């Protein structure tokens, strides 16, 4: 038996998202059933709804920045109770036995990572469906606890934009005495600015949008550079310890490699559709590193949420109804969001 659940889905790469009824599995003994209150809108949702990563299987129900209340728990569940404020991010299961899973890096599972949507679903034999829906059923091992002190709507984007920027900043030990660049002030970028500032680094924001300069400073950047201005870029040549690239579209990565010090690292978290050319000498002459990072493990995601609870860090959000999702996607493509759309899921009952 399963439960009919209202959602919004893309039926093809070119069709707008529209109302769709999906079936959620009957909770198992280790499952948590969650009523979804809010779901953030990540640029990855748009990439996948439109098959820009060439692996979408339709219908696609996007959404992996989920905050909700527990409605029931299975008999083996120990961590959560009915009524708890909880969250689900980009993953809902993994093999749990490979070396990556055992060291808390489930996102890099060698065998069997189950993403929150558009992944094969072991339970149903179909696909997983994400958070643009009224309810979800998730194994307790992949459910996070949200500090009750945080605004639950503004906490939703922490589940992807938050952890995706927190994790590399931690991994590369960003902190006091370091000069750190954040490229692109969107959902990920604005969380990157907040975290890098909170960790005590000198933060420089690179943006293509002159209208975001003041916001960049308010969010924690010490300086803001308009990346289209070559002279302004040149002033920062060979000066950065670490740069986090949060851009969703094609852009010149070499312009940023040249801003790194000797042994500096440029880490991509943005995931544009097409490959980015790298000029070899920009890496060779400075022993620079070009790296990448994907979301973060469950333990680190909980650590990040607890950090946000202690330091009152959340996302700057613009709340929308689910019926406005297609318009929101068009605005995302124009870099016109301040700085994360969050769907008020009560609107799905309209
Ligand atoms: P977003 O809110 O749309 O922000 C992207 C920002 O990139 C824009 O606000 C804009 O910033 C900049 N930008 C857009 N087009 C550009 C262009 N043509 N040239 C230069 N800059 C441009 O997107 P998001 O949700 O933060 O996601 C960003 C990327 O990260 C997406 O590709 C997404 O799929 C990926 N992602 C990766 C992971 C991971 O695990 N690694 C997780 C989540 C998302 P300015 O206006 O400031 O220039
Ligand atoms: Zn995401
Ligand atoms: Zn694994």
């Amino acid at each position: 038996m399963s439960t009919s659940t209202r959602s919004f889905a893309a039926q093809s790469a070119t069709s707008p998202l529209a109302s769709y009824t999906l079936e959620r599995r009957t909770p198992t003994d280790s499952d948590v059933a969650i009523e979804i209150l809010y779901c953030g809108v990540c640029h990855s949702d748009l990439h996948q709804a439109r098959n820009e990563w060439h692996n979408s299987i339709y219908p696609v129900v996007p959404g992996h920045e989920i905050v909700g209340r527990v409605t029931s728990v299975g008999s083996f569940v120990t961590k959560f109770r009915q009524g708890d404020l909880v969250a689900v991010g980009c993953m809902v299961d993994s093999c749990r036995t490979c070396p990556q899973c055992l060291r808390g890096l489930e996102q890099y599972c060698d065998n069997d990572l189950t993403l929150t949507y558009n992944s094969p679903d072991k339970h149903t034999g179909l696909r997983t469906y994400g958070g643009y829906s009224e309810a979800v059923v998730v194994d307790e091992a992949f459910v996070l606890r949200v500090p009750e002190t945080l605004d639950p709507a503004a906490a939703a984007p922490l589940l992807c934009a938050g952890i995706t920027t927190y994790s590399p900043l931690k991994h590369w030990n960003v902190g006091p005495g370091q000069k750190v660049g954040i490229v692109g002030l969107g959902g990920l970028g604005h969380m990157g600015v907040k975290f890098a500032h909170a960790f005590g680094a000198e933060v420089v924001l690179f943006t293509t949008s002159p209208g975001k300069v003041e916001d960049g400073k308010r969010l924690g950047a010490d300086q803001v550079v308009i990346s289209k201005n070559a002279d302004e870029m040149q002033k920062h040549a060979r000066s950065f310890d670490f740069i986090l690239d949060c851009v969703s579209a094609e852009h010149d990565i070499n312009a940023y490699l040249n801003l790194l010090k000797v042994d500096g690292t440029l880490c991509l978290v943005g995931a544009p559709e097409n490959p980015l050319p790298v000029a070899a000498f920009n890496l060779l002459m400075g022993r620079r590193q070009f790296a990448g990072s994907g979301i973060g493990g469950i333990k680190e995601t909980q650590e990040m949420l607890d950090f946000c609870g202690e330091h009152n860090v959340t996302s700057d959000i613009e709340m929308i109804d689910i019926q406005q999702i297609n318009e929101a996607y068009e605005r995302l493509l124009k870099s016109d969001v301040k700085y994360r759309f969050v769907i008020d899921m009560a609107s799905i009952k309209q």
Side-chain angles (χ1 to χ4, degrees):
M1 216 183 67
S2 57
T3 309
S4 294
T5 303
R6 283 172 285 200
S7 76
F8 260 57
Q11 296 291 346
S12 80
T14 52
S15 55
L17 273 71
S19 181
Y20 174 70
T21 302
L22 60 84
E23 296 296 319
R24 292 290 186 202
R25 68 173 181 260
T26 301
T28 67
D29 287 337
S30 58
D31 277 340
V32 178
I34 301 164
E35 178 198 6
I36 299 178
L37 300 174
Y38 302 104
C39 185
V41 178
C42 180
H43 207 112
S44 304
D45 298 347
L46 188 159
H47 288 309
Q48 291 182 82
R50 300 189 177 177
N51 198 22
E52 289 173 358
W53 294 340
H54 311 288
N55 62 4
S56 299
I57 295 179
Y58 294 92
V60 171
V61 177
H64 56 208
E65 294 184 337
I66 299 168
V67 166
R69 289 265 172 210
V70 174
T71 50
S72 68
V73 298
S75 56
F76 297 165
V77 171
T78 56
K79 288 197 299 183
F80 302 100
R81 282 194 297 188
Q82 190 182 354
D84 284 354
L85 188 65
V86 294
V88 178
C90 300
M91 322 177 266
V92 289
D93 213 342
S94 70
C95 86
R96 308 185 198 196
T97 56
C98 76
Q100 319 320 326
C101 286
L102 292 178
R103 62 187 184 130
L105 296 174
E106 300 89 349
Q107 76 273 31
Y108 306 132
C109 175
D110 289 334
N111 302 317
D112 208 5
L113 179 63
T114 308
L115 294 169
T116 303
Y117 64 87
N118 197 36
S119 237
D121 187 333
K122 303 178 209 177
H123 294 270
T124 62
L126 303 169
R127 307 291 288 180
T128 53
Y129 297 116
Y132 296 6
S133 62
E134 60 185 334
V136 66
V137 175
V138 179
D139 187 291
E140 75 163 329
F142 286 78
V143 177
L144 288 310
R145 184 172 296 284
V146 180
E148 290 276 354
T149 51
L150 295 178
D151 171 359
L158 299 175
L159 277 298
C160 178
I163 185 60
T164 301
T165 50
Y166 180 96
S167 182
L169 292 171
K170 281 283 179 189
H171 181 76
W172 274 276
N173 296 314
V174 162
Q178 286 188 327
K179 185 172 171 186
V180 171
I182 305 289
V183 187
L185 196 66
L188 267 57
H190 93 292
M191 291 311 306
V193 168
K194 288 187 185 202
F195 284 132
H197 175 73
F199 298 163
E202 178 191 350
V203 183
V204 179
L205 167 69
F206 295 93
T207 179
T208 58
S209 308
K212 294 182 184 174
V213 172
E214 288 314 311
D215 278 347
K217 290 184 180 161
R218 175 179 59 80
L219 294 165
D222 298 287
Q223 292 184 64
V224 180
V225 173
I226 305 297
S227 52
K228 289 172 180 162
N229 182 329
D231 290 342
E232 264 196 76
M233 293 287 279
Q234 191 52 34
K235 282 185 199 150
H236 292 270
R238 302 175 71 83
S239 69
F240 282 88
D241 297 282
F242 183 75
I243 298 177
L244 190 64
D245 186 319
C246 306
V247 173
S248 52
E250 273 61 55
H251 60 293
D252 180 17
I253 208 77
N254 296 290
Y256 295 101
L257 289 171
N258 281 323
L259 303 188
L260 293 174
K261 280 179 181 168
V262 172
D263 286 332
T265 298
L266 171 62
C267 176
L268 267 193
V269 283
E273 180 174 4
N274 296 315
L276 300 167
V278 171
F281 279 95
N282 289 335
L283 292 175
L284 309 187
M285 296 314 290
R287 200 164 56 190
R288 292 158 169 153
Q289 297 169 61
F290 185 30
S293 182
I295 47 174
I298 291 297
K299 185 164 172 279
E300 191 174 41
T301 305
Q302 189 62 61
E303 175 193 305
M304 179 269 315
L305 286 168
D306 295 343
F307 176 91
C308 290
E310 276 162 40
H311 297 86
N312 199 25
V313 177
T314 51
S315 173
D316 285 32
I317 64 166
E318 202 176 317
M319 194 96 85
I320 60 168
D321 287 345
I322 187 76
Q323 293 78 8
Q324 295 169 284
I325 189 66
N326 295 301
E327 197 184 308
Y329 277 10
E330 292 313 309
R331 284 186 52 198
L332 259 191
L333 285 173
K334 290 188 261 176
S335 304
D336 175 25
V337 49
K338 292 186 172 159
Y339 280 90
R340 196 59 141 186
F341 292 115
V342 170
I343 304 163
D344 179 354
M345 210 48 73
S347 60
I348 207 160
K349 300 185 174 76
Q350 283 171 17

